[in-house]
Amino acid sequence: MATTTIYLVRHCEAEGNWKRLFQGHYDGKVSELGYQQLAHLAERFCSVKLDAVYSSPLTRAMETARAINRCAQLPIQQDDGLLEINGGAFEGKPFAELPILFAEAYDKWEHDPAHFTAPGGESMQQVYDRMRDTIDRIARTHEGGTVAIASHGCAIRNYQCYVRGLPLSQVNSVTWCDNTAVNCIEYDSGFQPHIIYLNDTSHLPEGCSSFMKQTWWRKNQEESK
């Protein structure tokens, strides 16, 4: 029975993470900590035999894909289906300003993300559907192989919701993953996904975690319990 293995990796820390900006399609630079994270991620993946590497086209994801690919030296295939949510008018704005500028939409982002759409942006339902469809397609393209994918926090959260068998309405019960966290999913011969592990950051030494330097994510974890 052919099993297809997908390693889905969140990008390294970038400008929007440490500045606390909404970085959907905002293409900020990788931070100094981000490059430290990438060095440890590259070491982790040097022991994994990969057949393909895919990435969102945004810089922070591509830099992550390059680190994953450091030993494999495969062509990195960019796929728009792996992009972060398009935040429309939220893009590049400090999170502290969003409740003032867009009170209703920001309340949805925080408390009812399944029904969130930023002004001029992409709906959460669109992200859920495209991440499901894109990664399912990649798995079918590489049947029996091992594939690494670099994507983004909100996009991965939606995919995790899908592989847990949850409807989008329960996406707020899915916690955020840290920068360079690795998720391993196996697709069976019928192309049904099965979770091997989620949100693993065992490659990061103490002091290299973005979450250890931030507090915003703890609120989400408490609400999801």
Side-chain angles (χ1 to χ4, degrees):
M1 183 174 71
T3 297
T4 307
T5 302
I6 302 291
Y7 290 100
L8 178 59
V9 185
R10 189 184 178 194
H11 64 80
C12 62
E13 186 184 85
E15 181 183 1
N17 299 114
W18 70 269
K19 286 187 176 180
R20 292 298 296 143
L21 307 176
F22 194 99
Q23 59 172 2
H25 289 194
Y26 177 81
D27 204 11
K29 295 179 180 179
V30 172
S31 69
E32 181 180 347
L33 177 62
Y35 281 113
Q36 293 175 29
Q37 294 168 346
L38 292 182
H40 296 293
L41 184 69
E43 185 177 354
R44 173 177 182 151
F45 272 93
C46 273
S47 62
V48 179
K49 185 182 182 305
L50 296 173
D51 297 296
V53 179
Y54 283 77
S55 180
S56 151
L58 294 175
T59 299
R60 58 192 184 273
M62 280 297 295
E63 287 296 295
T64 302
R66 290 186 185 104
I68 292 167
N69 193 41
R70 193 165 298 167
C71 290
Q73 292 294 296
L74 297 164
I76 296 175
Q77 303 182 59
Q78 295 187 14
D79 195 314
D80 287 350
L82 302 170
L83 278 163
E84 183 57 293
I85 188 170
N86 182 341
F90 277 38
E91 291 287 347
K93 300 285 195 305
F95 271 92
E97 294 180 8
L98 293 176
I100 301 166
L101 296 172
F102 309 103
E104 184 176 349
Y106 185 73
D107 185 70
K108 289 275 197 249
W109 171 263
E110 282 288 302
H111 302 110
D112 186 18
H115 295 102
F116 169 77
T117 307
E122 185 179 21
S123 73
M124 198 66 73
Q125 184 69 60
Q126 288 173 305
V127 180
Y128 182 96
D129 291 345
R130 70 169 166 79
M131 282 295 288
R132 176 198 63 209
D133 294 348
T134 299
I135 297 179
D136 283 1
R137 167 173 53 77
I138 290 171
R140 290 177 182 274
T141 300
H142 299 280
E143 181 177 2
T146 300
V147 181
I149 297 172
S151 188
H152 304 266
C154 179
I156 290 174
R157 194 184 189 201
N158 277 272
Y159 179 75
Q160 284 189 3
C161 190
Y162 160 61
V163 296
R164 289 181 181 189
L166 300 175
L168 178 62
S169 60
Q170 295 186 45
V171 70
N172 220 21
S173 69
V174 179
T175 58
W176 294 88
C177 61
D178 205 345
N179 293 115
T180 72
V182 181
N183 305 275
C184 184
I185 310 297
E186 287 187 351
Y187 280 75
D188 61 28
S189 58
F191 290 101
Q192 293 301 307
H194 304 276
I195 296 168
I196 305 304
Y197 57 78
L198 299 176
N199 302 348
D200 183 75
T201 54
S202 58
H203 57 282
L204 293 180
E206 187 175 354
C208 269
S209 163
S210 296
F211 275 8
M212 291 301 291
K213 303 175 187 297
Q214 301 167 347
T215 58
W216 65 268
W217 56 277
R218 294 191 178 97
K219 178 173 175 287
N220 171 259
Q221 284 196 323
E222 289 300 317
E223 290 178 349
S224 68
K225 290 180 180 177

